[in-house]
Amino acid sequence: MLSQPLQFIKGVGPRRAAEFARVGVVTVEDLLLRFPRRYENRAGLTPIASLRPGHTATVVGEVLSSGVRTTRRPGFRLFEVVVRDGSGAIRAVFPNQAFLKDVFRPHQQVVLYGLLEYRSGGLQFTNAEYEIVRGELVDDAPVDDVTVHTGRIVPIYEKIGAVTTRMQRSLIFQLLSEMPDDIADPVPAVVRGALPSRAEAVRAVHFPKAGTDVEALNACATDAHRRLIFEEFFLFQAGLVLRKRRQAEEKKPRPVVVDDRAREAARRVLPFKLTDGQKVALREIVTDMQRPEPMHRLLQGDVGAGKTIVALLAAIVAMENGLQVAFMAPTEILADQHYLTIRRLLDRSRFRVASLTGSLTAAKKRAALAEIASGTTHLVVGTHALVEGAVEFRDLGLVIIDEQHRFGVLQRATLREKGQKPDVLVMTATPIPRTLALTAFGDLDVSVIRGLPPGRQPIKTLARPETRRDEVYTMVRRELEQGRQAYVIYPLVDESEKVDLKAATAMFDTLQQDVFPEYRVALLHGRMKADEKEQVMAAFARGDVHVLAATTVVEVGVDVANATVMLIEHAERFGLSQLHQLRGRVGRGAHPSTCVLLYQYPVTEQGKARIDALTETTDGFVIAERDLEIRGPGDFFGTRQSGLPTLRVGDLVRDHVLMEDARRAAVSWLDDTTRARPLVDYLSSHWAERFGLVGVG
Ligand code: ADP
Ligand code: MG
């Protein structure tokens, strides 16, 4: 019954079915698994004699009289009904709803729910929720046996096209009355434990029993809600577990071997001692690489924790084993910077590094591709140009993806396809909250680099209103006088927006001509040509440019140790992890650094929350959790293709504890292959479609 298309349900028809389909509601199950948006307590009958103006009340009574009245306003008609119970009578008016004359009839039993007002000398309901009681209303029978829209805790649905909350309520009531109690339950009884059965939960979510806590209902926190959310999470997590298992069944053609030669090669390029945190992470990665199954690992660490060198050492191990390495970064600036760093570090090795970005000339690109294909190039650094069809490797053994959450899951898969079951190492720019890591990266193993490299100076973070700009400039000048450098960041909502670009350019002119005429200021933005950008960045890295006025193109990865000031204009407009990333550009050298958040009124509540969070902590793991709370999961990653599931009832922030429960339950249930069989079958046919993600296998 649940899989029946709504179109064929009595009272739906093709027009409404089309409206439903537009929001993804096609079957009976789709409709039943949409939670009401909220609930109203319309239970508790008030005797008509006790009604008070200004209060909301439910009354039951018999229709005394009804009819349409014309008013003095031309064309304006009023439907009016008078209802009586044992204690008195009350009027209910419905402006401009003359059709109700065909609904209400004298002597009917009706329920009215609404706000009481004094109007034209008497107490009345205006536009009350109403219901004609069809069953026999015996004096002491509970009203919620016979009413749907009133006299009980009532579900309020989001309107779907022209399908009102009332129509949905009637339809769902009807469907539930036809639904058997033994509908199939994808959650095994053992797993579900004390939570209600599927049928029970679906009923209680739409038509809660009298006395249910309305606050709990509105918070989706009743057992019925939690059970259905758990079901969704359980299925999702089970799919992830299966996907991971399938990956584990794959075998690399040739696992890497770590011998003295590889160790020596790694030691030769290392410019400093690894921190303990880096050592732990590197050991986990290299252990994976030596296994017969391909690695799927996520490397997390705060901004500046030193993920790049760890990845590079892993790359050396792969290259010592005769394998090629692809290193993908989300922006051209970052790819260029990685390329320069890596080339410098590998200078004294026998390995050859190439760069592959969208801005190469056709001839250079052809040459680069040929060298990658022949194996002359051992390591190639690039943007998503790397996933293009024309790129072929001789023997790709390790894929490193920096700042993963800018890329989609599909891009990860495409790059992997270019090798024969290569090892995959994914790195994130900022830490990812645990719940999101469990979902978007749930099929990856995780390494975390704890702590920062030694000698890092804590960064002082200040928030200042625009009115104190001069004071901020004075502070920047003091740093410049000491020989330090500064970033001034201007927000661009969209790098292609001309208006914004003009504002950034104007800011640059002011800085150069009026504020710091004796220093060199340079402008950097996303619309500049690649070689222009490269020149500006190189000049800043050399110290020839003192103040870098930039848009968010410097957000990730840029690394200039002598820069000690990060001044962020319009800080109220930036996202939290973006601010944290930007701040992470300073505090990288021996000198103490400052990050100034310059904000302009009006500041939204969210904007304020972000600025507060940033001034209160520099711990990226804490900031990530706060960011998730402020923004919600979708916005956290910013793209739909990010590996987040399309959820129907669960909310990754609100229900994060349930997600962890579901994870544990799924892992342990799938441990026993015989008993897990039905679940596995169900998932292989439904999972990808249901969650909008790449399939289970
Ligand atoms: P992130 O983890 O944010 O990508 P990076 O890999 O860019 O950080 O490293 C940040 C800076 O710290 C770089 O300049 C890098 O050379 C330096 N660094 C990394 N590890 C160490 C270490 N163990 N000792 C000293 N400096 C380090
Ligand atoms: Mg980095």
Side-chain angles (χ1 to χ4, degrees):
M1 148 181 196
L2 291 185
S3 56
Q4 260 182 53
L6 276 171
Q7 188 179 347
F8 304 122
I9 299 296
K10 192 171 132 256
V12 178
R15 250 206 17 244
R16 278 186 195 166
E19 307 244 35
F20 280 132
R22 218 166 294 141
V23 294
V25 175
V26 177
T27 63
V28 170
E29 181 174 50
D30 294 340
L31 185 66
L32 293 183
L33 283 182
R34 253 172 95 91
F35 284 170
R37 193 156 46 91
R38 63 189 174 84
Y39 299 81
E40 262 176 31
N41 194 353
R42 300 179 186 172
L45 299 181
T46 309
I48 290 175
S50 317
L51 293 176
R52 295 269 158 69
H55 288 258
T56 302
T58 307
V59 304
V60 182
E62 180 192 339
V63 175
L64 260 189
S65 63
S66 66
V68 176
R69 272 205 297 134
T70 46
T71 60
R72 257 175 286 164
R73 242 164 78 201
F76 192 76
R77 302 201 302 166
L78 209 60
F79 176 76
E80 190 176 286
V81 56
V82 177
V83 171
R84 173 182 72 181
D85 70 1
S87 70
I90 182 80
R91 185 160 56 131
V93 300
F94 299 86
N96 268 344
Q97 296 183 54
F99 69 92
L100 288 177
K101 68 182 189 306
D102 301 324
V103 175
F104 287 89
R105 292 279 152 77
H107 307 302
Q108 274 170 338
Q109 288 285 338
V110 299
V111 183
L112 297 173
Y113 165 84
L115 181 69
L116 277 306
E117 303 173 311
Y118 253 118
R119 279 281 174 86
S120 30
L123 202 54
Q124 70 173 45
F125 283 112
T126 308
N127 278 329
E129 293 281 335
Y130 61 88
E131 175 143 30
I132 315 300
V133 179
R134 280 177 225 290
E136 188 73 13
L137 194 66
V138 193
D139 261 356
D140 51 358
V143 177
D144 66 347
D145 274 359
V146 278
T147 63
V148 179
H149 308 288
T150 49
R152 61 153 72 233
I153 298 173
V154 170
I156 311 289
Y157 300 96
E158 197 149 334
K159 203 171 163 202
I160 299 179
V163 191
T164 61
T165 189
R166 191 180 171 94
M167 294 177 196
Q168 291 179 57
R169 198 184 296 129
S170 301
L171 178 59
I172 289 172
F173 190 84
Q174 174 204 326
L175 290 170
L176 289 178
S177 70
E178 292 159 12
M179 183 182 76
D181 278 327
D182 58 353
I183 51 169
D185 192 339
V187 184
V190 190
V191 173
R192 153 160 82 79
L195 289 172
S197 76
R198 195 165 199 235
E200 247 179 293
V202 171
R203 290 188 206 287
V205 149
H206 293 285
F207 294 97
K209 291 218 173 65
T212 311
D213 180 0
V214 176
E215 239 170 76
L217 285 166
N218 282 331
C220 297
T222 65
D223 279 355
H225 284 94
R226 286 163 40 81
R227 188 241 116 98
L228 294 173
I229 295 166
F230 178 84
E231 170 184 320
E232 180 165 60
F233 287 174
F234 176 75
L235 292 176
F236 173 67
Q237 289 294 346
L240 283 187
V241 172
L242 290 183
R243 193 157 82 175
K244 193 168 172 184
R245 291 232 175 121
R246 200 129 320 163
Q247 286 170 358
E249 284 162 16
E250 297 181 339
K251 295 283 176 272
K252 294 185 268 206
R254 161 164 86 78
V256 307
V257 177
V258 182
D259 53 17
D260 287 342
R261 218 177 75 150
R263 279 192 203 94
E264 180 49 34
R267 214 168 292 131
R268 246 198 328 267
V269 305
L270 194 59
F272 35 62
K273 268 181 62 186
L274 290 184
T275 64
D276 290 344
Q278 286 172 318
K279 280 185 202 157
V280 171
L282 181 62
R283 200 171 309 131
E284 288 170 349
I285 293 165
V286 174
T287 307
D288 275 3
M289 292 169 67
Q290 292 168 275
R291 279 193 230 282
E293 310 83 32
M295 165 169 75
H296 297 271
R297 188 167 281 278
L298 174 71
L299 179 58
Q300 290 211 62
D302 207 343
V303 179
K307 295 179 284 285
T308 318
I309 190 73
V310 171
L312 181 63
L313 293 174
I316 287 173
V317 170
M319 292 187 291
E320 277 294 337
N321 279 267
L323 297 165
Q324 286 174 294
V325 179
F327 195 132
M328 184 160 74
T331 66
E332 211 146 292
I333 288 202
L334 190 52
D336 286 345
Q337 176 162 322
H338 278 321
Y339 171 65
L340 294 175
T341 311
I342 292 172
R343 203 181 55 182
R344 184 165 41 82
L345 289 170
L346 292 186
D347 207 24
R348 285 185 294 144
S349 76
R350 62 197 170 85
F351 300 121
R352 296 196 40 182
V353 189
S355 149
L356 193 71
T357 57
S359 62
L360 286 187
T361 63
K364 277 193 177 155
K365 187 168 170 186
R366 221 175 305 122
L369 289 178
E371 294 196 343
I372 295 168
S374 71
T376 325
T377 290
H378 300 102
L379 190 161
V380 50
V381 184
T383 55
H384 43 256
L386 282 175
V387 301
E388 281 168 16
V391 186
E392 278 174 42
F393 289 82
R394 191 177 61 92
D395 197 356
L396 177 62
L398 173 64
V399 167
I400 299 168
I401 304 178
D402 199 12
E403 324 291 355
Q404 157 84 21
H405 64 251
R406 299 291 193 90
F407 293 110
V409 177
L410 282 178
Q411 279 164 315
R412 201 204 300 171
T414 313
L415 188 51
R416 193 172 59 211
E417 290 305 308
K418 295 195 179 283
Q420 277 200 45
K421 318 248 183 276
D423 289 319
V424 177
L425 180 66
V426 160
M427 303 194 279
T428 61
T430 41
I432 295 180
R434 204 180 133 63
T435 343
L436 293 193
L438 273 183
T439 50
F441 305 105
D443 51 352
L444 302 180
D445 299 307
V446 180
S447 292
V448 178
I449 301 183
R450 312 248 169 230
L452 296 175
R456 283 289 161 81
Q457 301 287 333
I459 305 167
K460 191 160 75 178
T461 304
L462 309 168
R464 294 284 181 264
E466 159 75 18
T467 45
R468 294 171 69 177
R469 176 178 289 278
D470 288 346
E471 179 190 323
V472 171
Y473 282 152
T474 307
M475 196 215 81
V476 176
R477 175 178 300 281
R478 262 203 308 273
E479 289 296 308
L480 297 178
E481 281 165 2
Q482 311 271 322
R484 306 283 86 78
Q485 292 161 278
Y487 296 96
V488 181
I489 305 293
Y490 202 88
L492 293 197
V493 178
D494 176 354
E495 292 271 352
S496 63
E497 267 306 323
K498 283 215 184 73
V499 188
D500 276 349
L501 207 52
K502 227 166 105 188
T505 313
M507 176 195 74
F508 158 70
D509 288 338
T510 312
L511 285 173
Q512 178 67 88
Q513 282 154 32
D514 307 336
V515 190
F516 303 114
E518 71 277 41
Y519 291 103
R520 258 191 307 280
V521 184
L523 178 65
L524 182 69
H525 61 74
R527 293 246 285 183
M528 286 163 48
K529 289 215 187 70
D531 54 341
E532 285 174 341
K533 280 192 263 190
E534 209 171 296
Q535 277 169 18
V536 171
M537 268 319 295
F540 188 65
R542 279 197 310 271
D544 289 349
V545 163
H546 307 106
V547 178
L548 186 64
T551 63
T552 40
V553 289
V554 301
E555 181 189 333
V556 285
V558 172
D559 190 25
V560 177
N562 190 47
T564 54
V565 181
M566 171 58 67
L567 168 56
I568 303 176
E569 298 269 348
H570 281 293
E572 77 282 358
R573 290 192 202 162
F574 286 94
L576 192 44
S577 68
Q578 230 180 348
L579 289 171
H580 181 60
Q581 266 294 331
L582 286 168
R583 175 169 62 183
R585 299 307 110 214
V586 295
R588 295 180 160 241
H591 304 281
S593 296
T594 312
C595 172
V596 187
L597 308 172
L598 206 56
Y599 58 89
Q600 286 188 25
Y601 294 107
V603 181
T604 63
E605 210 163 295
Q606 286 203 359
K608 173 138 192 348
R610 292 193 295 260
I611 290 175
D612 286 349
L614 207 74
T615 50
E616 280 159 25
T617 179
T618 51
D619 182 335
F621 288 88
V622 176
I623 284 177
E625 298 290 343
R626 289 279 284 275
D627 197 14
L628 179 59
E629 278 164 32
I630 297 172
R631 284 205 283 175
D635 294 334
F636 186 90
F637 285 119
T639 58
R640 250 197 56 84
Q641 238 312 305
S642 56
L644 287 183
T646 331
L647 295 174
R648 281 208 286 224
V649 292
D651 179 305
L652 293 176
V653 178
R654 183 190 65 203
D655 308 316
H656 64 101
V657 179
L658 273 179
M659 182 62 94
E660 299 193 13
D661 292 348
R663 171 84 175 179
R664 272 190 300 274
V667 169
S668 87
W669 182 255
L670 290 172
D671 239 10
D672 180 335
T673 39
T674 357
R675 102 189 149 175
R677 196 71 247 167
L679 180 60
V680 174
D681 291 343
Y682 176 84
L683 289 170
S684 10
S685 55
H686 288 77
W687 196 81
E689 185 194 353
R690 164 84 184 269
F691 295 106
L693 296 176
V694 185
V696 178

